[in-house]
Amino acid sequence: MQAEILSDDELADLTGYKHRAHQRKWLKDRNWVFIESRGGRPLVGRMFARMKLGMANATVSDQNPPPVKPAWTPDFSRVN
């Protein structure tokens, strides 16, 4: 099973850089969302990377569909 964040090797493959400062610059220049670990390593979520690369449809990955409209509504016109 894969981790939820990209590994060091995957991040190096994605950015083309092994040095963390260059990886952060590459990600910032392309408006990628990431956070930094205490050691300064950029952490990129796997699902975000898939969506950014066009590998996952954003609507498919949304686990919370909009609420279903009720088939009927109560009539409160006669309530005092």
Side-chain angles (χ1 to χ4, degrees):
M1 184 171 144
Q2 295 177 333
E4 292 296 316
I5 59 171
L6 298 181
S7 68
D8 288 335
D9 292 335
E10 290 171 324
L11 196 56
D13 288 342
L14 174 70
T15 62
Y17 298 103
K18 288 192 175 189
H19 195 270
R20 292 177 178 175
H22 294 298
Q23 290 175 345
R24 286 191 299 272
K25 183 178 180 336
W26 188 94
L27 293 167
K28 286 178 187 174
D29 290 346
R30 287 159 181 81
N31 298 320
W32 280 60
V33 176
F34 68 96
I35 60 172
E36 291 183 33
S37 68
R38 288 176 53 181
R41 178 179 180 256
L43 303 174
V44 178
R46 186 169 303 283
M47 183 55 72
F48 177 79
R50 287 180 179 153
M51 288 190 320
K52 194 79 168 166
L53 295 172
M55 297 171 64
N57 188 350
T59 57
V60 172
S61 63
D62 184 14
Q63 299 298 326
N64 298 323
V68 178
K69 185 177 178 182
W72 63 274
T73 56
D75 181 14
F76 294 111
S77 62
R78 296 185 181 195
V79 177
N80 291 333

